[in-house]
Amino acid sequence: MNILVTGGAGFIGSHTLIELYKAGHTAVVVDNLANSNPESLKRVAELIGGGVTIPFHEVDVRDRAKLTQVLQQYQFDACIHFAGLKAVGESVAKPWEYYENNINGTLVLVDCMRQNGCKNIIFSSSATVYGDPAMIPITEQCPKGHCTNPYGQTKSMLEEILMDMQKADPEWNIVLLRYFNPIGAHPSGRIGEDPKGIPNNLMPYITQVAVGKRPELGVFGNDYDTHDGTGVRDYIHVVDLARGHVKALQAIGSQCGLAIYNLGTGHGYSVLDLVKAFERANNITIPYSIKARRAGDIATCYSDPAKAERELGWVAEYGVDEMCRDAWNWQKNNPEGYAK
Ligand code: NAD
Ligand code: WQD
């Protein structure tokens, strides 16, 4: 298939491009580079090899005219829509910017798509839509919960919008992928997560401590109702997550209508479990101290990924040691991310 990949220069998008080409698909990337560096795309092409060039258009998905040009220049079988802003804390400070970028961006995208004859989309949703989950492990049957921040609201609202569109027009095939906590990097160490400024997420913070950019990790709370008091999450290797998108194309190909899948490993690790796993895998000590809880955090969140296995034949293959090894391999080889 030929796939329009929005946000393809970003963390998950860049890894997904490699898996798409490996599986025999082709892609065109649209990204406004708001949170990425085009160097990622050069490295993706190197990793794919064989002289492949992936067409890249520096376009904002809210720009109807430019997006339409791209849709008319190529023939797309489907879109994988990663483009969006994703920093939870920033979304609290800038709600308008988050609603406008994520919601308006997606509305413009799907409108341009349908006007140009493409009604197949895979959407990057998030486990955040479950709020403080009503069940653990979380199946797709779990009711959606209250999102404590505008970022999460955009994901939850966009799911509703896409579901309503599919209901009104069954020609749409829409796959909502609810990611748990993507970490790690391509095993080559050439592409990975390149956060701007102080990382919000745990793994990039750990790797920046490991590389000496930050003195210590702050652990946000050790009084949760978990085995060691720190928050438990379902960390998933970004390469496994990327492969999940390739598998989801099968659902599109078989005219799934609407389909929702959790993409996680099904295993929960606490903050301190992850710190220990990182130390063990890489033989590095991570200094940390316990801080107050972070507003909006929940105690425990991990998936039941059985539906994706049953229906897509997808299962996460990498374990936490490989996630830690690859995250560090990327960070130590690229201490300044793509900037150097
Ligand atoms: P990322 O920031 O690395 O990638 C997103 C890309 O979208 C960036 O390259 C950015 O420049 C681009 N972009 C943003 N707004 C755009 C716009 N209006 N037009 C065109 N391009 C735009 O983030 P990521 O971690 O790769 O996440 C990809 C998607 O997955 C996002 O939608 C994110 O919300 C979602 N998601 C991420 C996580 C996570 O923890 N990383 C978890 C669940 C869901
Ligand atoms: C993991 C655990 C923290 C940083 C977020 C979004 C979610 C999704 C994935 C996009 C928690 C603790 C963290 C630190 C810490 N993104 N922590 N010190 O909060 O589970 O999910 O990213 O959709 O929507 O909310 O991930 O990596 O920020 O935190 O102790 O410096 O690590 O409290 O328990 P989270 P995270």
Side-chain angles (χ1 to χ4, degrees), residues 86 88 125-126 128 149 151 155 180-182 199-203 205 217-221 224 230-233 235 271 294 297-298:
K86 64 160 183 178
V88 169
S125 188
S126 168
T128 198
N149 59 80
Y151 165 73
K155 292 294 171 191
F180 281 67
N181 288 57
N200 303 299
N201 297 113
L202 180 59
M203 182 54 97
Y205 207 102
L217 170 73
V219 174
F220 299 145
Y224 287 104
T230 66
V232 168
R233 299 289 184 274
Y235 297 97
V271 177
R294 184 173 65 179
D297 273 356
I298 54 174

Side-chain angles (χ1 to χ4, degrees), residues 3-24:
I3 314 296
L4 172 63
V5 180
T6 74
F11 174 44
I12 305 169
S14 55
H15 289 81
T16 302
L17 289 169
I18 293 177
E19 299 307 316
L20 284 171
Y21 275 79
K22 261 192 180 167

Side-chain angles (χ1 to χ4, degrees), residues 1-5 21 25-29 55 57 67-80 112-120 249:
M1 292 190 195
N2 193 31
I3 314 296
L4 172 63
V5 180
Y21 275 79
H25 301 292
T26 52
V28 173
V29 171
H57 296 266
L67 193 60
T68 299
Q69 272 176 15
V70 173
L71 282 154
Q72 290 178 349
Q73 186 178 342
Y74 307 91
Q75 199 69 32
F76 292 112
D77 299 296
C79 170
I80 305 183
C112 292
M113 284 175 65
R114 66 181 178 179
Q115 286 184 22
N116 288 282
C118 180
K119 294 186 181 177
N120 296 322
L249 285 175

